[in-house]
């Protein structure tokens, strides 16, 4: 609302509109958002930071907001001045801005700025919004380490002719014309993070982009567009087209491309290797593999049936299995087991309260019966994401060893080549964790 309660501020996902409640014509405050592919969002009510009773936006003063370029991935700060048509982008570049705030009694503004190789440091600037003075120096911590050398935006066409993009992150010391082993890391849409900083931390799903970049990999984050009743098939078309477009940049080595996804990303990973032979190795964490049996079990973490997820959320089916047997079947990874040629490392925890353990076990047993290369990891007492630090480290190390072998020709780790007898597992795990504790 405006502070005088005469107008609503509404977004059409591109522009911000002032809509009078008396029924008179709406005014496009930002002007060029839809035309130029700029998303204006999150206007800031500075007064409310200090006075919780200062409700609504004072439109007699400048209105500051975030500006994001849908196809350039540029980000910044824009302002709409009273009585001036359109927004003025005062900071807008291949970076990511956030945490905009204002001093209570002075025209001094605070914000964060980050890029793919610069952490989100704080800056302060005045009313003119010239480039601010840097107040913190997180970047100094990066100097001893190998870091990414940049990001390439990759354009491609997804399922149904939809325009999509992916962010191809380059390894340190990237040399144009040289090909690199590449990991495809994705979920639904991640290209918006093209110019954001990725800290090198141990992740609950075992994969960290910064870790792989610093070890000589390229990492590709493609966007996915889905078709109702065909989530697997449509995502596979998007992934194949995305990878082929990335290969055309000359960066990925076509024979050494891996793929990793977790949960919904794990499902798509498990499915895409039934549709294509593009990938030399795949890691699927907590994957849905049989859409029919998955529909009928409980999402224990929330105490609901999976039917809600399949018909009203990520599953994107227009009805239950008994009305759409063919759709549920053709979009189930187990339906394409015979087509799999990609070595697969899979995590499916017995106590997973989101994707039932039986999903991973079904796919594992079927792949084994079809004589495919597959290893199943189960971390006892862990839920959908690994919470124990030792388990996170263990999964991180195993995944890296797996990819290093198939994508960088490193020796095959003994745990993969020979296995570990169940009676020896406890002592083996104790020694394995101790080895990587530091």
């Amino acid at each position: 609302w405006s502070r005088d309660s005469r107008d609503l501020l509404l977004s059409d996902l591109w522009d911000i509109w002032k809509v009078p409640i008396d029924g008179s014509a709406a005014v496009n405050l930002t002007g060029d958002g839809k035309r130029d592919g700029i998303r204006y969002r999150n206007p800031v009510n500075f007064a409310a930071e200090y006075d919780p009773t200062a409700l609504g936006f004072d439109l007699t003063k400048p209105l500051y907001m975030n500006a994001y370029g849908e196809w350039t991935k540029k980000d910044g700060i824009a302002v709409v001045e009273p009585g001036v048509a359109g927004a003025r982008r005062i900071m807008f570049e291949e970076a990511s801005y956030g945490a905009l705030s204002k001093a209570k009694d002075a025209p001094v503004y605070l914000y964060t700025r980050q890029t793919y190789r610069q952490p989100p440091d704080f800056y302060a600037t005045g009313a003119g919004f010239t480039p601010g003075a840097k107040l913190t120096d997180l970047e100094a911590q990066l100097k001893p380490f190998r870091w990414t050398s940049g990001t390439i935006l990759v354009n491609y066409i997804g399922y149904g002719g939809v325009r999509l993009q992916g962010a191809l992150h380059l390894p340190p010391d990237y040399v144009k014309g040289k090909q690199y082993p590449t990991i495809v890391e994705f979920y639904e849409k991640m290209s918006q993070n093209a110019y954001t900083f990725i800290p090198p931390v141990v992740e609950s799903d075992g994969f960290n982009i910064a870790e792989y970049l610093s070890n000589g990999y390229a990492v590709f984050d493609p966007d996915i567009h889905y078709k109702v009743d065909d989530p697997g098939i449509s995502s596979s078309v998007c992934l194949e087209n995305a990878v082929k477009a990335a290969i055309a940049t000359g960066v990925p080595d076509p024979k050494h491309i891996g793929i990793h996804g977790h949960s919904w990303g794990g499902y798509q990973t498990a499915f895409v290797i039934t549709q294509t032979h593009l990938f030399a190795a795949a890691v699927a964490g907590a994957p849905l593999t049989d859409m029919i049996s998955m529909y009928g079990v409980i999402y224990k973490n929330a105490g609901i049936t999976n039917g809600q997820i399949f018909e009203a959320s990520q599953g994107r089916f227009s009805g239950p299995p008994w009305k759409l047997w063919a759709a549920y079947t053709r979009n189930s990874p187990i339906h394409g087991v015979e087509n799999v040629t990609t070595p697969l490392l899979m995590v499916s925890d017995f106590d997973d309260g989101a994707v039932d353990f039986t999903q991973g076990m079904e796919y594992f047993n079927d792949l084994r019966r079809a004589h495919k290369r597959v290893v199943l990891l189960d971390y006892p007492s862990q839920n959908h994401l690994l919470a124990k630090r030792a388990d996170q480290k263990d999964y991180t190390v195993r995944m890296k060893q797996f990819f290093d072998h198939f994508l960088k020709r490193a020796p095959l780790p003994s745990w993969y080549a020979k296995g570990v007898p169940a009676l020896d597992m406890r002592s083996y795990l104790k020694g394995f964790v101790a080895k990587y504790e530091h």
Side-chain angles (χ1 to χ4, degrees):
W1 286 91
S2 63
R3 186 158 301 173
D4 60 13
S5 298
R6 294 180 179 178
D7 304 288
L8 275 173
L9 296 185
L10 299 178
S11 168
D12 64 4
L13 300 183
W14 297 104
D15 290 294
I16 294 178
W17 295 73
K18 183 178 73 171
V19 182
I21 63 171
D22 63 8
S24 56
V27 177
N28 185 342
L29 294 179
T30 50
D32 61 356
K34 187 174 183 179
R35 184 194 71 195
D36 295 343
I38 307 296
R39 296 193 186 276
Y40 293 103
R41 54 196 183 182
N42 303 328
V44 183
N45 184 0
F46 293 128
E49 294 182 13
Y50 304 99
D51 179 6
T53 66
L55 304 178
F57 292 92
D58 186 350
L59 299 183
T60 66
K61 297 180 179 179
L63 182 66
Y64 293 90
M65 65 197 69
N66 172 255
Y68 167 73
E70 180 70 16
W71 302 109
T72 65
K73 309 307 176 190
K74 291 182 178 181
D75 191 64
I77 299 169
V79 61
V80 174
E81 303 280 1
V84 179
R88 177 169 58 90
R89 297 193 289 275
I90 49 182
M91 293 182 179
F92 193 66
E93 57 177 323
E94 292 179 352
S96 181
Y97 285 78
L100 179 63
S101 60
K102 179 184 175 297
K104 182 178 180 181
D105 299 316
V108 177
Y109 299 85
L110 186 72
Y111 63 90
T112 61
R113 177 187 178 276
Q114 60 181 304
T115 70
Y116 50 77
R117 60 179 300 128
Q118 296 173 310
D121 277 310
F122 279 92
Y123 295 79
T125 188
F129 267 88
T130 56
K134 192 174 181 181
L135 303 180
T136 58
D137 192 16
L138 295 174
E139 190 174 1
Q141 300 177 28
L142 307 183
K143 292 180 180 178
F145 303 103
R146 286 164 52 81
W147 216 250
T148 177
S149 58
T151 299
I152 297 174
L153 290 179
V154 178
N155 295 286
Y156 57 97
I157 301 300
Y159 189 92
V162 175
R163 179 186 178 188
L164 294 173
Q165 282 184 318
L168 180 58
H169 306 285
L170 303 175
D173 309 320
Y174 165 71
V175 177
K176 188 174 182 178
K178 181 180 178 180
Q179 294 180 331
Y180 297 84
T182 301
I183 307 291
V184 177
E185 166 73 3
F186 71 107
Y187 191 76
E188 292 190 11
K189 291 193 174 178
M190 294 173 60
S191 69
Q192 67 272 18
N193 299 320
Y195 302 125
T196 59
F197 179 77
I198 303 167
V201 297
V202 177
E203 304 281 4
S204 57
D205 68 354
F207 187 90
N208 177 260
I209 292 177
E211 177 197 2
Y212 280 83
L213 292 174
S214 66
N215 280 278
Y217 285 88
V219 177
F220 184 42
D221 292 336
D223 290 342
I224 310 297
H225 174 77
Y226 302 94
K227 179 180 182 293
V228 172
D229 292 335
D230 273 320
I233 290 173
S234 55
S235 68
S236 291
V237 170
C238 292
L239 284 168
E240 285 191 70
N241 290 354
V243 170
K244 290 175 181 177
I247 291 172
T249 68
V251 176
D253 178 347
K255 295 183 179 180
H256 295 94
I257 298 176
I259 185 169
H260 167 261
H262 190 88
S263 190
W264 185 245
Y267 157 64
Q268 294 168 92
T269 298
F271 187 84
V272 74
I273 62 174
T274 71
Q275 306 295 303
T276 180
H277 306 305
L278 273 174
F279 302 104
V283 177
L288 295 72
T289 66
D290 182 344
M291 306 303 260
I292 294 174
S293 64
M294 181 69 181
Y295 181 98
V297 297
I298 299 297
Y299 192 100
K300 298 173 186 174
N301 286 344
I304 61 175
T305 68
N306 280 321
Q308 300 176 52
I309 298 171
F310 275 73
E311 295 187 56
S313 183
Q314 273 183 319
R316 296 177 173 86
F317 287 98
S318 61
W322 55 90
K323 292 186 177 181
L324 297 163
W325 284 114
Y328 276 76
T329 300
R330 67 175 176 262
N331 285 280
S332 294
I334 62 168
H335 182 62
V337 161
E338 285 189 327
N339 301 327
V340 175
T341 60
T342 303
L344 175 65
L345 178 66
M346 186 166 46
V347 169
S348 187
D349 295 330
F350 185 79
D351 292 317
D352 191 330
V355 178
D356 198 86
F357 173 73
T358 55
Q359 289 296 298
M361 186 55 67
E362 279 191 52
Y363 199 41
F364 174 74
N365 285 332
D366 289 354
L367 288 167
R368 293 278 290 179
R369 173 64 182 86
H371 306 290
K372 307 298 182 178
R373 289 175 292 181
V374 58
V375 169
L376 177 68
L377 303 179
D378 168 28
Y379 291 91
S381 303
Q382 291 293 276
N383 204 308
H384 192 53
L385 291 165
L386 301 181
K388 293 181 180 178
R389 201 65 168 172
D391 290 342
Q392 293 173 352
K393 291 180 179 180
D394 182 272
Y395 185 26
T396 298
V397 171
R398 291 180 195 272
M399 185 190 303
K400 180 70 164 39
Q401 291 176 336
F402 175 79
F403 278 136
D404 281 352
H405 171 70
F406 288 105
L407 304 185
K408 298 179 75 173
R409 302 183 180 90
L412 190 65
S414 60
W415 61 265
Y416 186 96
K418 299 178 182 179
V420 180
L423 294 177
D424 300 333
M425 185 63 71
R426 185 180 296 274
S427 60
Y428 172 81
L429 288 176
K430 184 177 180 180
F432 187 89
V433 171
K435 181 178 179 181
Y436 293 100
E437 191 62 35
H438 303 292

